[in-house]
Amino acid sequence: SGGGGGGDEGEIAGVVAPKYDLVAMEEVDRHHGFFLPALSKFGYRGLFVPKPRSPGAEMGWYSDGCALYWRDETFELLSEEAASGAAAVGVGPMSGKYSEGNQVYLIVPLRHRATGRAIVAAATHLKAKKGAENEGLRARQARELLRRARSAAREVASDRGGEAEDVPVLIMGDFNAEPKGTCMDVALGG
C-alpha cells in the first residue's frame, strides 16, 4: 500500500480514477490514512474491514483488510445510516470475519444512480497458501460469502418490492485459487 507521498496519488489518478466505478482492494493497511482520502479526491467513497489478527498490527503497523470503493457519481450506498453505525431501516453494509480462518469480507448494497437498479457488491481476501486443506477452507469461505451476499440481495429486493434475482451480486477479491479448483467452482457455480 501507498506511503502517502505525492507519487502515490498520481498513481491512483492514472490507474483507478479514470476507469472504474467499483474497486475492491485486499491487504489494505492504510484505508483511513491514505486510500480513502486519496480516492475521495477523485469522487470515490468507500468502506473498510480490518482482519481481526493482522501480522502487521502485531509488529506495530496498521491492520490490513479489505476495502470497497465506489464512484459517488455512479453509485450510492443504499443505507447511509447503516454505514455510520446508527440504527437503520433496511439492509446496509455488512462486514465480518469468516467462521473459519482470519480472513474478512465486506458486502455493500448500492444503487446505480442512472438506472435506479440495486446491486450487492462484495470484497474479500480468501485464505492463502497452496494445499488441499487450504483449498477446502477457501471453498468453505467462498460458500459462506455467497450465502451472505445472496441473503443481502434478498433483503435489498424485499426492501425495494422486487425479487432477489433482480439484484445482481458482484464478488471481487483475491481468491488465492487456481482457475480450475474447488474454490473457483464454488465461486463461479455457487
PDB file of all heavy atoms in Angstrom, residues 3 38 48 55-56 68 72-73 81 83-84 90 94 102-103 106 124 129 134 160 163 165 169 190:
ATOM      1  N   GLY A   3       2.630   4.867   0.603  1.00  0.00           N
ATOM      2  CA  GLY A   3       3.253   5.523   1.737  1.00  0.00           C
ATOM      3  C   GLY A   3       2.760   6.930   1.949  1.00  0.00           C
ATOM      4  O   GLY A   3       3.133   7.567   2.914  1.00  0.00           O
ATOM      5  N   ALA A  38      -7.232   9.779  -0.593  1.00  0.00           N
ATOM      6  CA  ALA A  38      -6.729   9.941  -1.958  1.00  0.00           C
ATOM      7  C   ALA A  38      -7.823   9.672  -2.986  1.00  0.00           C
ATOM      8  O   ALA A  38      -8.018  10.452  -3.926  1.00  0.00           O
ATOM      9  CB  ALA A  38      -5.534   9.016  -2.195  1.00  0.00           C
ATOM     10  N   PHE A  48     -14.185  -0.139   4.715  1.00  0.00           N
ATOM     11  CA  PHE A  48     -13.028  -0.978   5.020  1.00  0.00           C
ATOM     12  C   PHE A  48     -13.363  -1.899   6.177  1.00  0.00           C
ATOM     13  O   PHE A  48     -14.071  -1.513   7.104  1.00  0.00           O
ATOM     14  CB  PHE A  48     -11.859  -0.052   5.397  1.00  0.00           C
ATOM     15  CG  PHE A  48     -10.664  -0.757   5.978  1.00  0.00           C
ATOM     16  CD1 PHE A  48      -9.796  -1.489   5.188  1.00  0.00           C
ATOM     17  CD2 PHE A  48     -10.397  -0.660   7.335  1.00  0.00           C
ATOM     18  CE1 PHE A  48      -8.684  -2.113   5.718  1.00  0.00           C
ATOM     19  CE2 PHE A  48      -9.273  -1.279   7.886  1.00  0.00           C
ATOM     20  CZ  PHE A  48      -8.422  -2.009   7.066  1.00  0.00           C
ATOM     21  N   PRO A  55      -0.708  -9.730  11.010  1.00  0.00           N
ATOM     22  CA  PRO A  55       0.726  -9.741  11.322  1.00  0.00           C
ATOM     23  C   PRO A  55       1.314  -8.331  11.380  1.00  0.00           C
ATOM     24  O   PRO A  55       2.155  -8.048  12.214  1.00  0.00           O
ATOM     25  CB  PRO A  55       1.341 -10.551  10.175  1.00  0.00           C
ATOM     26  CG  PRO A  55       0.228 -11.402   9.676  1.00  0.00           C
ATOM     27  CD  PRO A  55      -1.028 -10.590   9.880  1.00  0.00           C
ATOM     28  N   GLY A  56       0.853  -7.435  10.498  1.00  0.00           N
ATOM     29  CA  GLY A  56       1.344  -6.062  10.515  1.00  0.00           C
ATOM     30  C   GLY A  56       1.038  -5.363  11.826  1.00  0.00           C
ATOM     31  O   GLY A  56       1.889  -4.675  12.403  1.00  0.00           O
ATOM     32  N   LEU A  68     -13.747  -1.622  -0.189  1.00  0.00           N
ATOM     33  CA  LEU A  68     -14.549  -1.499  -1.400  1.00  0.00           C
ATOM     34  C   LEU A  68     -14.809  -0.021  -1.607  1.00  0.00           C
ATOM     35  O   LEU A  68     -15.265   0.670  -0.688  1.00  0.00           O
ATOM     36  CB  LEU A  68     -15.866  -2.270  -1.260  1.00  0.00           C
ATOM     37  CG  LEU A  68     -16.745  -2.298  -2.494  1.00  0.00           C
ATOM     38  CD1 LEU A  68     -16.097  -3.142  -3.590  1.00  0.00           C
ATOM     39  CD2 LEU A  68     -18.105  -2.859  -2.172  1.00  0.00           C
ATOM     40  N   ASP A  72     -18.891   7.935  -6.496  1.00  0.00           N
ATOM     41  CA  ASP A  72     -20.116   8.503  -5.937  1.00  0.00           C
ATOM     42  C   ASP A  72     -21.074   9.013  -7.011  1.00  0.00           C
ATOM     43  O   ASP A  72     -22.278   8.985  -6.817  1.00  0.00           O
ATOM     44  CB  ASP A  72     -19.766   9.625  -4.950  1.00  0.00           C
ATOM     45  CG  ASP A  72     -20.934   9.991  -4.061  1.00  0.00           C
ATOM     46  OD1 ASP A  72     -21.656   9.075  -3.607  1.00  0.00           O
ATOM     47  OD2 ASP A  72     -21.145  11.198  -3.824  1.00  0.00           O
ATOM     48  N   GLU A  73     -20.575   9.430  -8.151  1.00  0.00           N
ATOM     49  CA  GLU A  73     -21.474   9.905  -9.208  1.00  0.00           C
ATOM     50  C   GLU A  73     -22.204   8.741  -9.881  1.00  0.00           C
ATOM     51  O   GLU A  73     -23.213   8.941 -10.530  1.00  0.00           O
ATOM     52  CB  GLU A  73     -20.720  10.740 -10.246  1.00  0.00           C
ATOM     53  CG  GLU A  73     -19.776   9.954 -11.108  1.00  0.00           C
ATOM     54  CD  GLU A  73     -18.993  10.818 -12.084  1.00  0.00           C
ATOM     55  OE1 GLU A  73     -18.794  12.015 -11.801  1.00  0.00           O
ATOM     56  OE2 GLU A  73     -18.574  10.285 -13.116  1.00  0.00           O
ATOM     57  N   GLU A  81     -27.370   5.318   7.033  1.00  0.00           N
ATOM     58  CA  GLU A  81     -27.424   5.139   8.486  1.00  0.00           C
ATOM     59  C   GLU A  81     -26.651   3.906   8.908  1.00  0.00           C
ATOM     60  O   GLU A  81     -25.948   3.901   9.903  1.00  0.00           O
ATOM     61  CB  GLU A  81     -28.875   5.037   8.973  1.00  0.00           C
ATOM     62  CG  GLU A  81     -29.697   6.287   8.730  1.00  0.00           C
ATOM     63  CD  GLU A  81     -30.290   6.360   7.335  1.00  0.00           C
ATOM     64  OE1 GLU A  81     -30.271   5.354   6.584  1.00  0.00           O
ATOM     65  OE2 GLU A  81     -30.766   7.443   6.967  1.00  0.00           O
ATOM     66  N   ALA A  83     -24.106   2.585   7.418  1.00  0.00           N
ATOM     67  CA  ALA A  83     -22.670   2.821   7.268  1.00  0.00           C
ATOM     68  C   ALA A  83     -22.117   3.629   8.430  1.00  0.00           C
ATOM     69  O   ALA A  83     -20.977   3.461   8.829  1.00  0.00           O
ATOM     70  CB  ALA A  83     -22.386   3.543   5.955  1.00  0.00           C
ATOM     71  N   SER A  84     -22.939   4.509   9.002  1.00  0.00           N
ATOM     72  CA  SER A  84     -22.457   5.334  10.107  1.00  0.00           C
ATOM     73  C   SER A  84     -22.591   4.619  11.446  1.00  0.00           C
ATOM     74  O   SER A  84     -22.160   5.131  12.465  1.00  0.00           O
ATOM     75  CB  SER A  84     -23.231   6.653  10.152  1.00  0.00           C
ATOM     76  OG  SER A  84     -24.573   6.414  10.543  1.00  0.00           O
ATOM     77  N   GLY A  90     -33.924  -1.214   6.775  1.00  0.00           N
ATOM     78  CA  GLY A  90     -33.405  -1.770   5.534  1.00  0.00           C
ATOM     79  C   GLY A  90     -32.014  -2.330   5.721  1.00  0.00           C
ATOM     80  O   GLY A  90     -31.403  -2.226   6.772  1.00  0.00           O
ATOM     81  N   MET A  94     -22.483  -4.931   5.275  1.00  0.00           N
ATOM     82  CA  MET A  94     -22.166  -5.976   6.236  1.00  0.00           C
ATOM     83  C   MET A  94     -20.692  -6.297   6.101  1.00  0.00           C
ATOM     84  O   MET A  94     -20.174  -6.344   4.990  1.00  0.00           O
ATOM     85  CB  MET A  94     -22.969  -7.242   5.955  1.00  0.00           C
ATOM     86  CG  MET A  94     -24.457  -7.075   6.067  1.00  0.00           C
ATOM     87  SD  MET A  94     -25.339  -8.634   5.838  1.00  0.00           S
ATOM     88  CE  MET A  94     -24.852  -9.116   4.196  1.00  0.00           C
ATOM     89  N   ASN A 102      -8.874 -16.369   9.485  1.00  0.00           N
ATOM     90  CA  ASN A 102      -8.692 -14.992   9.925  1.00  0.00           C
ATOM     91  C   ASN A 102      -9.052 -14.000   8.818  1.00  0.00           C
ATOM     92  O   ASN A 102      -8.788 -12.820   8.932  1.00  0.00           O
ATOM     93  CB  ASN A 102      -7.224 -14.795  10.351  1.00  0.00           C
ATOM     94  CG  ASN A 102      -6.986 -13.452  10.997  1.00  0.00           C
ATOM     95  OD1 ASN A 102      -7.774 -12.989  11.810  1.00  0.00           O
ATOM     96  ND2 ASN A 102      -5.893 -12.814  10.627  1.00  0.00           N
ATOM     97  N   GLN A 103      -9.634 -14.481   7.741  1.00  0.00           N
ATOM     98  CA  GLN A 103      -9.931 -13.641   6.599  1.00  0.00           C
ATOM     99  C   GLN A 103     -11.265 -12.912   6.789  1.00  0.00           C
ATOM    100  O   GLN A 103     -12.099 -13.324   7.593  1.00  0.00           O
ATOM    101  CB  GLN A 103      -9.965 -14.475   5.316  1.00  0.00           C
ATOM    102  CG  GLN A 103      -8.600 -15.028   4.927  1.00  0.00           C
ATOM    103  CD  GLN A 103      -8.089 -16.102   5.866  1.00  0.00           C
ATOM    104  OE1 GLN A 103      -8.836 -16.950   6.332  1.00  0.00           O
ATOM    105  NE2 GLN A 103      -6.793 -16.066   6.160  1.00  0.00           N
ATOM    106  N   LEU A 106     -16.521  -7.935   2.975  1.00  0.00           N
ATOM    107  CA  LEU A 106     -17.300  -6.707   3.031  1.00  0.00           C
ATOM    108  C   LEU A 106     -18.394  -6.851   1.981  1.00  0.00           C
ATOM    109  O   LEU A 106     -18.105  -7.169   0.824  1.00  0.00           O
ATOM    110  CB  LEU A 106     -16.391  -5.520   2.717  1.00  0.00           C
ATOM    111  CG  LEU A 106     -16.890  -4.118   2.863  1.00  0.00           C
ATOM    112  CD1 LEU A 106     -17.341  -3.834   4.295  1.00  0.00           C
ATOM    113  CD2 LEU A 106     -15.794  -3.129   2.476  1.00  0.00           C
ATOM    114  N   THR A 124     -13.407  -9.444  -0.824  1.00  0.00           N
ATOM    115  CA  THR A 124     -12.871 -10.425   0.104  1.00  0.00           C
ATOM    116  C   THR A 124     -11.430 -10.775  -0.232  1.00  0.00           C
ATOM    117  O   THR A 124     -10.943 -10.468  -1.317  1.00  0.00           O
ATOM    118  CB  THR A 124     -13.720 -11.715   0.118  1.00  0.00           C
ATOM    119  OG1 THR A 124     -13.322 -12.518   1.231  1.00  0.00           O
ATOM    120  CG2 THR A 124     -13.574 -12.493  -1.175  1.00  0.00           C
ATOM    121  N   LYS A 129      -2.043 -19.728   0.607  1.00  0.00           N
ATOM    122  CA  LYS A 129      -1.210 -20.935   0.670  1.00  0.00           C
ATOM    123  C   LYS A 129      -1.852 -22.100  -0.066  1.00  0.00           C
ATOM    124  O   LYS A 129      -3.062 -22.310   0.001  1.00  0.00           O
ATOM    125  CB  LYS A 129      -0.858 -21.319   2.096  1.00  0.00           C
ATOM    126  CG  LYS A 129      -0.032 -20.246   2.790  1.00  0.00           C
ATOM    127  CD  LYS A 129       0.412 -20.703   4.147  1.00  0.00           C
ATOM    128  CE  LYS A 129       1.191 -19.572   4.808  1.00  0.00           C
ATOM    129  NZ  LYS A 129       1.377 -19.773   6.211  1.00  0.00           N
ATOM    130  N   ASN A 134      -6.018 -25.970   2.641  1.00  0.00           N
ATOM    131  CA  ASN A 134      -6.314 -24.560   2.416  1.00  0.00           C
ATOM    132  C   ASN A 134      -7.312 -24.361   1.280  1.00  0.00           C
ATOM    133  O   ASN A 134      -8.131 -23.445   1.324  1.00  0.00           O
ATOM    134  CB  ASN A 134      -5.032 -23.761   2.163  1.00  0.00           C
ATOM    135  CG  ASN A 134      -4.223 -23.613   3.426  1.00  0.00           C
ATOM    136  OD1 ASN A 134      -4.758 -23.475   4.513  1.00  0.00           O
ATOM    137  ND2 ASN A 134      -2.905 -23.669   3.293  1.00  0.00           N
ATOM    138  N   ARG A 160     -37.145  -3.212  -1.608  1.00  0.00           N
ATOM    139  CA  ARG A 160     -37.491  -2.449  -2.805  1.00  0.00           C
ATOM    140  C   ARG A 160     -38.698  -3.042  -3.528  1.00  0.00           C
ATOM    141  O   ARG A 160     -39.036  -2.599  -4.619  1.00  0.00           O
ATOM    142  CB  ARG A 160     -36.284  -2.383  -3.728  1.00  0.00           C
ATOM    143  CG  ARG A 160     -35.085  -1.675  -3.064  1.00  0.00           C
ATOM    144  CD  ARG A 160     -33.816  -1.777  -3.864  1.00  0.00           C
ATOM    145  NE  ARG A 160     -33.853  -1.076  -5.116  1.00  0.00           N
ATOM    146  CZ  ARG A 160     -33.652   0.237  -5.270  1.00  0.00           C
ATOM    147  NH1 ARG A 160     -33.400   0.977  -4.222  1.00  0.00           N
ATOM    148  NH2 ARG A 160     -33.680   0.788  -6.463  1.00  0.00           N
ATOM    149  N   GLU A 163     -37.674  -8.938  -6.583  1.00  0.00           N
ATOM    150  CA  GLU A 163     -37.226 -10.316  -6.412  1.00  0.00           C
ATOM    151  C   GLU A 163     -35.708 -10.341  -6.281  1.00  0.00           C
ATOM    152  O   GLU A 163     -35.010  -9.531  -6.893  1.00  0.00           O
ATOM    153  CB  GLU A 163     -37.646 -11.164  -7.621  1.00  0.00           C
ATOM    154  CG  GLU A 163     -39.146 -11.237  -7.825  1.00  0.00           C
ATOM    155  CD  GLU A 163     -39.847 -11.976  -6.704  1.00  0.00           C
ATOM    156  OE1 GLU A 163     -39.280 -12.970  -6.188  1.00  0.00           O
ATOM    157  OE2 GLU A 163     -40.956 -11.566  -6.340  1.00  0.00           O
ATOM    158  N   GLU A 165     -33.617 -12.249  -7.603  1.00  0.00           N
ATOM    159  CA  GLU A 165     -32.981 -12.463  -8.908  1.00  0.00           C
ATOM    160  C   GLU A 165     -32.777 -11.151  -9.652  1.00  0.00           C
ATOM    161  O   GLU A 165     -31.992 -11.079 -10.593  1.00  0.00           O
ATOM    162  CB  GLU A 165     -33.812 -13.420  -9.773  1.00  0.00           C
ATOM    163  CG  GLU A 165     -33.935 -14.822  -9.214  1.00  0.00           C
ATOM    164  CD  GLU A 165     -34.956 -14.927  -8.074  1.00  0.00           C
ATOM    165  OE1 GLU A 165     -35.944 -14.163  -8.053  1.00  0.00           O
ATOM    166  OE2 GLU A 165     -34.744 -15.762  -7.188  1.00  0.00           O
ATOM    167  N   VAL A 169     -25.360  -9.734  -7.879  1.00  0.00           N
ATOM    168  CA  VAL A 169     -24.340  -9.844  -6.839  1.00  0.00           C
ATOM    169  C   VAL A 169     -22.986  -9.906  -7.545  1.00  0.00           C
ATOM    170  O   VAL A 169     -22.764 -10.762  -8.403  1.00  0.00           O
ATOM    171  CB  VAL A 169     -24.560 -11.108  -5.980  1.00  0.00           C
ATOM    172  CG1 VAL A 169     -23.411 -11.307  -5.007  1.00  0.00           C
ATOM    173  CG2 VAL A 169     -25.889 -11.022  -5.236  1.00  0.00           C
ATOM    174  N   GLY A 190     -21.655 -21.367  -7.520  1.00  0.00           N
ATOM    175  CA  GLY A 190     -22.500 -21.145  -6.358  1.00  0.00           C
ATOM    176  C   GLY A 190     -22.895 -22.411  -5.704  1.00  0.00           C
ATOM    177  O   GLY A 190     -23.632 -22.525  -4.825  1.00  0.00           O
TER     178      GLY A 190
END
